[in-house]
Amino acid sequence: MPYQALSPALRFLLGVACFIVLVAGMKSAVEILVPFLLSVFIAILCAPALLWLEARKVPSPLAVTIVVLVVVVSISGVSMLVATSINNFAKQVPAYQASLQDEIQLVTAWLANHGIELSQQLVRDQVNPGRIMELVSKTLTGFGNALADFFLIFLTVLFILFEASSFPAKFRRAMGDQHQSISTFEKFNTSVKRYLIIKSLVSLATGAFIALWLGIQGVDYLVLWALLAFLLNFIPNIGSIIAAIPAVLLSFVQFGFTGAGITALGFFIVNIVMGNIIEPRYMGKGLGLSTLVVFLSLLFWGWVLGPVGMLLSIPLTMIVKLALEANQETRWIGVLLDNK
Protein backbone atom coordinates (compact mmCIF):
# COMPACT_ATOMS: atom_id res chain seq x y z
CA MET A 1 0.00 0.00 0.00
CA PRO A 2 1.41 3.45 -0.93
CA TYR A 3 2.47 5.64 1.97
CA GLN A 4 0.06 8.42 0.94
CA ALA A 5 -2.87 6.01 1.17
CA LEU A 6 -2.23 5.28 4.87
CA SER A 7 -4.38 6.93 7.49
CA PRO A 8 -2.82 9.71 9.62
CA ALA A 9 -2.76 7.40 12.65
CA LEU A 10 -0.85 4.71 10.75
CA ARG A 11 1.57 7.31 9.38
CA PHE A 12 2.23 8.52 12.91
CA LEU A 13 2.82 5.00 14.20
CA LEU A 14 5.11 4.27 11.26
CA GLY A 15 7.08 7.44 12.01
CA VAL A 16 7.43 6.49 15.68
CA ALA A 17 8.59 2.99 14.72
CA CYS A 18 11.21 4.40 12.34
CA PHE A 19 12.40 6.79 15.04
CA ILE A 20 12.82 3.95 17.54
CA VAL A 21 14.73 1.84 15.01
CA LEU A 22 16.96 4.82 14.15
CA VAL A 23 17.76 5.55 17.81
CA ALA A 24 18.48 1.87 18.49
CA GLY A 25 20.80 1.83 15.48
CA MET A 26 22.65 4.91 16.71
CA LYS A 27 23.13 3.40 20.16
CA SER A 28 24.43 0.19 18.59
CA ALA A 29 26.86 2.09 16.36
CA VAL A 30 27.97 4.59 19.02
CA GLU A 31 31.62 3.45 18.86
CA ILE A 32 31.77 4.45 15.19
CA LEU A 33 29.29 7.33 15.26
CA VAL A 34 30.94 9.32 18.07
CA PRO A 35 34.42 9.57 16.43
CA PHE A 36 32.75 10.51 13.13
CA LEU A 37 30.66 13.28 14.72
CA LEU A 38 33.71 14.52 16.59
CA SER A 39 35.62 14.58 13.30
CA VAL A 40 32.89 16.66 11.66
CA PHE A 41 32.94 19.01 14.64
CA ILE A 42 36.72 19.49 14.34
CA ALA A 43 36.53 19.85 10.56
CA ILE A 44 33.89 22.60 10.80
CA LEU A 45 36.12 24.51 13.23
CA CYS A 46 39.09 24.10 10.89
CA ALA A 47 37.22 25.08 7.71
CA PRO A 48 37.59 28.89 8.11
CA ALA A 49 41.37 28.59 8.50
CA LEU A 50 41.52 26.31 5.45
CA LEU A 51 39.45 28.69 3.32
CA TRP A 52 41.58 31.62 4.52
CA LEU A 53 44.75 29.88 3.34
CA GLU A 54 43.20 28.91 0.01
CA ALA A 55 42.03 32.51 -0.52
CA ARG A 56 45.69 33.54 -0.29
CA LYS A 57 46.64 31.18 -3.14
CA VAL A 58 48.02 28.42 -0.90
CA PRO A 59 47.55 25.10 -2.74
CA SER A 60 44.72 23.06 -1.29
CA PRO A 61 46.85 20.00 -0.32
CA LEU A 62 49.38 22.24 1.45
CA ALA A 63 46.63 24.23 3.19
CA VAL A 64 44.97 21.03 4.46
CA THR A 65 48.35 19.70 5.64
CA ILE A 66 49.09 22.90 7.58
CA VAL A 67 45.67 22.99 9.25
CA VAL A 68 45.70 19.29 10.15
CA LEU A 69 49.24 19.49 11.57
CA VAL A 70 48.20 22.41 13.80
CA VAL A 71 45.19 20.42 15.01
CA VAL A 72 47.25 17.27 15.66
CA VAL A 73 49.95 19.14 17.59
CA SER A 74 47.35 21.06 19.62
CA ILE A 75 45.25 18.01 20.52
CA SER A 76 48.33 15.89 21.30
CA GLY A 77 49.83 18.53 23.59
CA VAL A 78 46.57 19.13 25.44
CA SER A 79 45.86 15.39 25.71
CA MET A 80 49.25 14.66 27.28
CA LEU A 81 48.90 17.50 29.76
CA VAL A 82 45.35 16.54 30.71
CA ALA A 83 46.14 12.82 30.98
CA THR A 84 48.88 13.59 33.49
CA SER A 85 46.54 15.84 35.49
CA ILE A 86 43.75 13.24 35.50
CA ASN A 87 46.08 10.47 36.71
CA ASN A 88 47.49 12.63 39.50
CA PHE A 89 44.05 13.85 40.51
CA ALA A 90 42.64 10.30 40.57
CA LYS A 91 45.32 9.32 43.08
CA GLN A 92 44.40 12.25 45.32
CA VAL A 93 40.61 11.81 45.18
CA PRO A 94 40.37 9.57 48.33
CA ALA A 95 42.40 12.09 50.34
CA TYR A 96 40.26 14.97 49.06
CA GLN A 97 37.06 13.10 49.91
CA ALA A 98 38.27 12.41 53.45
CA SER A 99 39.24 16.07 53.91
CA LEU A 100 35.87 17.19 52.56
CA GLN A 101 34.02 14.92 54.99
CA ASP A 102 36.06 16.41 57.85
CA GLU A 103 35.12 19.90 56.72
CA ILE A 104 31.45 18.92 56.54
CA GLN A 105 31.59 17.59 60.11
CA LEU A 106 33.07 20.90 61.26
CA VAL A 107 30.26 22.78 59.50
CA THR A 108 27.54 20.60 61.08
CA ALA A 109 29.17 21.05 64.51
CA TRP A 110 29.26 24.83 64.01
CA LEU A 111 25.59 24.83 63.02
CA ALA A 112 24.74 22.71 66.07
CA ASN A 113 26.40 25.27 68.33
CA HIS A 114 24.11 27.89 66.80
CA GLY A 115 20.93 25.90 67.38
CA ILE A 116 20.65 24.20 63.97
CA GLU A 117 20.71 20.45 64.47
CA LEU A 118 21.63 18.35 61.43
CA SER A 119 22.22 14.63 61.37
CA GLN A 120 25.79 14.00 60.26
CA GLN A 121 24.69 10.73 58.69
CA LEU A 122 21.97 12.54 56.73
CA VAL A 123 24.46 15.18 55.55
CA ARG A 124 26.96 12.47 54.65
CA ASP A 125 24.33 10.66 52.58
CA GLN A 126 23.05 13.79 50.83
CA VAL A 127 26.37 15.55 50.28
CA ASN A 128 28.35 12.83 48.57
CA PRO A 129 31.47 14.23 46.87
CA GLY A 130 32.14 10.81 45.37
CA ARG A 131 29.12 11.21 43.10
CA ILE A 132 30.34 14.58 41.89
CA MET A 133 33.86 13.31 41.28
CA GLU A 134 32.38 10.30 39.48
CA LEU A 135 30.39 12.62 37.19
CA VAL A 136 33.52 14.65 36.42
CA SER A 137 35.50 11.47 35.80
CA LYS A 138 32.83 10.05 33.48
CA THR A 139 32.69 13.26 31.44
CA LEU A 140 36.45 13.50 30.99
CA THR A 141 36.83 9.76 30.46
CA GLY A 142 34.06 9.70 27.85
CA PHE A 143 35.69 12.52 25.93
CA GLY A 144 39.08 10.84 26.32
CA ASN A 145 37.71 7.54 25.01
CA ALA A 146 36.44 9.35 21.93
CA LEU A 147 39.86 10.89 21.35
CA ALA A 148 41.44 7.44 21.84
CA ASP A 149 40.43 6.68 18.22
CA PHE A 150 42.82 9.44 17.26
CA PHE A 151 43.99 7.87 14.00
CA LEU A 152 40.42 7.36 12.78
CA ILE A 153 39.50 10.93 13.71
CA PHE A 154 42.66 12.24 12.05
CA LEU A 155 41.93 10.48 8.74
CA THR A 156 38.26 11.51 8.76
CA VAL A 157 39.11 15.17 9.40
CA LEU A 158 41.73 15.00 6.64
CA PHE A 159 39.28 13.67 4.05
CA ILE A 160 36.50 16.08 5.12
CA LEU A 161 38.83 19.06 4.71
CA PHE A 162 39.93 17.86 1.27
CA GLU A 163 36.25 17.80 0.26
CA ALA A 164 35.26 21.02 2.08
CA SER A 165 35.91 23.49 -0.74
CA SER A 166 34.33 21.42 -3.51
CA PHE A 167 31.33 19.91 -1.68
CA PRO A 168 28.92 22.90 -2.06
CA ALA A 169 29.45 22.92 -5.83
CA LYS A 170 28.91 19.15 -6.00
CA PHE A 171 25.72 19.50 -3.96
CA ARG A 172 24.37 22.16 -6.33
CA ARG A 173 25.12 20.03 -9.37
CA ALA A 174 23.44 17.03 -7.77
CA MET A 175 20.29 18.85 -6.62
CA GLY A 176 19.98 21.65 -9.15
CA ASP A 177 20.19 25.36 -8.37
CA GLN A 178 16.45 25.73 -7.77
CA HIS A 179 16.05 22.71 -5.51
CA GLN A 180 14.76 23.47 -2.01
CA SER A 181 17.56 21.39 -0.51
CA ILE A 182 20.07 24.06 -1.63
CA SER A 183 18.61 26.75 0.60
CA THR A 184 18.14 24.25 3.43
CA PHE A 185 21.75 23.11 3.17
CA GLU A 186 23.07 26.68 3.06
CA LYS A 187 20.93 27.64 6.06
CA PHE A 188 22.11 24.63 8.01
CA ASN A 189 25.76 25.12 7.04
CA THR A 190 25.75 28.80 8.05
CA SER A 191 23.88 28.24 11.32
CA VAL A 192 25.95 25.29 12.52
CA LYS A 193 29.30 26.79 11.48
CA ARG A 194 28.47 30.11 13.15
CA TYR A 195 27.29 28.40 16.33
CA LEU A 196 30.29 26.06 16.63
CA ILE A 197 32.90 28.74 15.93
CA ILE A 198 31.42 31.34 18.29
CA LYS A 199 30.71 28.76 20.99
CA SER A 200 34.24 27.38 20.72
CA LEU A 201 35.82 30.82 21.04
CA VAL A 202 33.59 31.72 24.00
CA SER A 203 34.35 28.37 25.65
CA LEU A 204 38.08 28.86 25.08
CA ALA A 205 37.91 32.31 26.69
CA THR A 206 35.92 30.82 29.57
CA GLY A 207 38.53 28.11 30.17
CA ALA A 208 41.38 30.65 30.00
CA PHE A 209 39.69 32.96 32.53
CA ILE A 210 38.99 30.06 34.91
CA ALA A 211 42.63 28.91 34.66
CA LEU A 212 43.84 32.44 35.47
CA TRP A 213 41.40 32.83 38.37
CA LEU A 214 42.23 29.46 39.93
CA GLY A 215 45.95 30.01 39.31
CA ILE A 216 45.87 33.25 41.29
CA GLN A 217 44.12 31.38 44.13
CA GLY A 218 46.50 28.44 43.98
CA VAL A 219 43.82 25.77 43.48
CA ASP A 220 45.27 22.37 42.56
CA TYR A 221 44.88 20.94 39.03
CA LEU A 222 43.77 24.23 37.48
CA VAL A 223 44.41 22.83 33.97
CA LEU A 224 41.87 20.08 34.65
CA TRP A 225 39.20 22.52 35.81
CA ALA A 226 39.91 24.90 32.94
CA LEU A 227 39.47 22.03 30.45
CA LEU A 228 36.26 21.01 32.21
CA ALA A 229 34.98 24.60 32.00
CA PHE A 230 35.85 24.68 28.27
CA LEU A 231 34.14 21.36 27.49
CA LEU A 232 31.04 21.78 29.63
CA ASN A 233 30.44 25.30 28.33
CA PHE A 234 29.16 23.56 25.17
CA ILE A 235 26.37 22.03 27.28
CA PRO A 236 23.55 24.57 27.56
CA ASN A 237 21.99 25.65 30.86
CA ILE A 238 23.66 23.26 33.30
CA GLY A 239 27.14 22.71 31.87
CA SER A 240 28.72 25.72 33.56
CA ILE A 241 27.17 24.77 36.91
CA ILE A 242 28.55 21.22 36.71
CA ALA A 243 31.99 22.57 35.76
CA ALA A 244 32.08 24.82 38.83
CA ILE A 245 31.15 22.21 41.45
CA PRO A 246 34.39 20.13 41.64
CA ALA A 247 36.61 23.23 41.57
CA VAL A 248 34.57 24.89 44.34
CA LEU A 249 34.67 21.71 46.45
CA LEU A 250 38.43 21.39 46.03
CA SER A 251 38.87 25.06 46.91
CA PHE A 252 36.73 24.44 50.01
CA VAL A 253 39.02 21.58 51.03
CA GLN A 254 42.16 23.66 50.46
CA PHE A 255 41.12 27.10 51.69
CA GLY A 256 37.80 26.75 53.54
CA PHE A 257 34.63 28.78 53.03
CA THR A 258 36.43 31.95 51.93
CA GLY A 259 38.40 30.19 49.20
CA ALA A 260 35.32 28.32 47.99
CA GLY A 261 33.38 31.59 47.85
CA ILE A 262 36.13 33.27 45.81
CA THR A 263 36.21 30.32 43.39
CA ALA A 264 32.43 30.35 43.04
CA LEU A 265 32.53 34.11 42.45
CA GLY A 266 35.00 33.62 39.59
CA PHE A 267 32.76 31.05 37.89
CA PHE A 268 29.72 33.30 38.44
CA ILE A 269 31.42 36.33 36.89
CA VAL A 270 32.71 34.49 33.83
CA ASN A 271 29.34 32.80 33.21
CA ILE A 272 27.46 36.10 33.52
CA VAL A 273 29.87 37.96 31.22
CA MET A 274 30.32 35.18 28.65
CA GLY A 275 26.82 33.69 28.75
CA ASN A 276 24.74 36.86 29.01
CA ILE A 277 26.87 39.57 27.36
CA ILE A 278 29.53 38.24 24.99
CA GLU A 279 27.79 35.17 23.57
CA PRO A 280 24.35 36.76 22.88
CA ARG A 281 26.05 39.72 21.24
CA TYR A 282 27.76 37.55 18.63
CA MET A 283 25.15 34.80 18.41
CA GLY A 284 22.45 37.27 17.41
CA LYS A 285 18.90 36.15 18.16
CA GLY A 286 20.02 32.67 19.07
CA LEU A 287 19.70 29.17 17.72
CA GLY A 288 16.01 29.06 16.87
CA LEU A 289 15.39 26.42 19.56
CA SER A 290 13.20 26.80 22.63
CA THR A 291 14.78 26.50 26.08
CA LEU A 292 12.84 23.32 26.79
CA VAL A 293 14.03 21.75 23.53
CA VAL A 294 17.63 22.70 24.36
CA PHE A 295 17.39 20.96 27.73
CA LEU A 296 15.62 17.87 26.37
CA SER A 297 18.11 17.58 23.51
CA LEU A 298 20.90 17.62 26.09
CA LEU A 299 19.33 14.67 27.91
CA PHE A 300 18.45 12.75 24.74
CA TRP A 301 21.80 13.03 22.93
CA GLY A 302 23.66 12.41 26.18
CA TRP A 303 21.69 9.18 26.62
CA VAL A 304 22.25 8.09 23.00
CA LEU A 305 25.89 9.11 22.47
CA GLY A 306 27.29 9.73 25.94
CA PRO A 307 29.32 12.82 26.99
CA VAL A 308 30.26 13.74 23.42
CA GLY A 309 26.56 13.69 22.53
CA MET A 310 25.93 16.24 25.29
CA LEU A 311 28.62 18.51 23.85
CA LEU A 312 27.15 18.25 20.35
CA SER A 313 23.48 18.24 21.41
CA ILE A 314 22.65 21.66 19.92
CA PRO A 315 24.21 21.11 16.45
CA LEU A 316 22.61 17.66 16.23
CA THR A 317 19.19 19.04 17.22
CA MET A 318 19.55 21.83 14.67
CA ILE A 319 20.17 19.19 11.98
CA VAL A 320 16.98 17.38 12.98
CA LYS A 321 14.99 20.64 13.08
CA LEU A 322 16.14 21.74 9.63
CA ALA A 323 15.43 18.28 8.20
CA LEU A 324 11.91 18.37 9.65
CA GLU A 325 11.27 21.86 8.29
CA ALA A 326 12.37 20.79 4.80
CA ASN A 327 9.54 18.21 4.60
CA GLN A 328 6.01 19.59 4.32
CA GLU A 329 4.50 16.73 6.33
CA THR A 330 6.91 17.11 9.28
CA ARG A 331 7.24 20.90 9.14
CA TRP A 332 4.85 21.27 12.08
CA ILE A 333 7.30 19.39 14.33
CA GLY A 334 10.08 21.78 13.32
CA VAL A 335 7.82 24.71 14.17
CA LEU A 336 7.17 23.25 17.64
CA LEU A 337 10.94 23.05 18.23
CA ASP A 338 11.36 26.75 17.39
CA ASN A 339 11.71 29.44 20.05
CA LYS A 340 9.08 31.73 18.50
Side-chain angles (χ1 to χ4, degrees):
M1 180 183 294
Y3 176 77
Q4 298 296 334
L6 298 177
S7 66
L10 286 177
R11 290 185 190 179
F12 176 77
L13 292 176
L14 182 61
V16 171
C18 292
F19 174 76
I20 293 173
V21 172
L22 181 62
V23 172
M26 286 191 295
K27 283 188 72 68
S28 299
V30 69
E31 293 183 358
I32 298 176
L33 194 57
V34 166
F36 174 75
L37 292 175
L38 202 56
S39 302
V40 173
F41 171 80
I42 295 173
I44 290 175
L45 295 180
C46 294
L50 175 64
L51 296 177
W52 183 85
L53 289 173
E54 290 181 342
R56 279 147 184 80
K57 308 303 180 182
V58 178
S60 183
L62 179 59
V64 171
T65 303
I66 293 172
V67 171
V68 170
L69 282 177
V70 171
V71 171
V72 169
V73 171
S74 302
I75 292 180
S76 300
V78 172
S79 298
M80 291 174 60
L81 184 62
V82 170
T84 303
S85 297
I86 291 176
N87 291 333
N88 294 335
F89 175 70
K91 295 176 182 177
Q92 295 295 325
V93 165
Y96 285 141
Q97 290 182 357
S99 299
L100 186 57
Q101 292 294 353
D102 292 340
E103 293 289 342
I104 291 173
Q105 289 180 3
L106 292 175
V107 172
T108 55
W110 182 85
L111 291 173
N113 291 334
H114 289 76
I116 303 176
E117 294 289 342
L118 290 177
S119 169
Q120 291 193 3
Q121 182 61 42
L122 177 62
V123 174
R124 192 177 295 112
D125 292 339
Q126 296 299 321
V127 183
N128 188 345
R131 295 176 185 173
I132 299 171
M133 298 305 178
E134 182 182 352
L135 177 61
V136 173
S137 177
K138 285 178 64 177
T139 302
L140 292 172
T141 302
F143 192 76
N145 290 340
L147 289 178
D149 299 319
F150 186 77
F151 186 68
L152 176 61
I153 294 174
F154 167 76
L155 287 180
T156 308
V157 170
L158 188 66
F159 292 134
I160 291 175
L161 291 178
F162 271 121
E163 294 288 332
S165 57
S166 61
F167 182 76
K170 288 182 180 179
F171 192 79
R172 282 192 176 86
R173 290 201 303 270
M175 296 296 180
D177 289 335
Q178 303 301 320
H179 198 278
Q180 185 181 1
S181 298
I182 297 296
S183 60
T184 302
F185 171 76
E186 291 178 346
K187 179 182 177 182
F188 159 74
N189 184 50
T190 302
S191 300
V192 173
K193 185 184 298 183
R194 178 179 176 82
Y195 168 77
L196 288 180
I197 292 174
I198 293 176
K199 192 69 174 179
S200 298
L201 293 175
V202 170
S203 299
L204 187 62
T206 299
F209 180 87
I210 292 301
L212 178 62
W213 188 273
L214 297 181
I216 294 173
Q217 277 191 269
V219 178
D220 293 341
Y221 305 107
L222 62 90
V223 173
L224 201 58
W225 312 132
L227 175 68
L228 198 65
F230 167 75
L231 292 176
L232 295 186
N233 196 60
F234 284 91
I235 300 177
N237 303 322
I238 65 172
S240 299
I241 299 175
I242 297 175
I245 292 175
V248 171
L249 286 177
L250 185 56
S251 182
F252 176 64
V253 170
Q254 288 186 256
F255 310 114
F257 270 115
T258 303
I262 294 174
T263 301
L265 178 63
F267 276 92
F268 178 76
I269 291 173
V270 71
N271 289 326
I272 289 295
V273 173
M274 294 297 178
N276 295 285
I277 299 176
I278 304 297
E279 191 171 306
R281 177 180 177 182
Y282 292 100
M283 284 285 191
K285 294 183 178 179
L287 306 169
L289 298 173
S290 71
T291 304
L292 177 61
V293 170
V294 168
F295 181 71
L296 293 179
S297 68
L298 168 68
L299 298 179
F300 173 77
W301 291 112
W303 172 67
V304 175
L305 301 176
V308 175
M310 297 174 72
L311 298 178
L312 300 179
S313 60
I314 298 303
L316 292 174
T317 305
M318 289 174 63
I319 294 173
V320 174
K321 178 175 177 290
L322 291 171
L324 292 171
E325 289 177 342
N327 190 308
Q328 197 62 33
E329 291 190 1
T330 57
R331 185 176 178 277
W332 63 275
I333 304 178
V335 173
L336 291 178
L337 298 179
D338 211 308
N339 61 352
K340 296 178 183 179

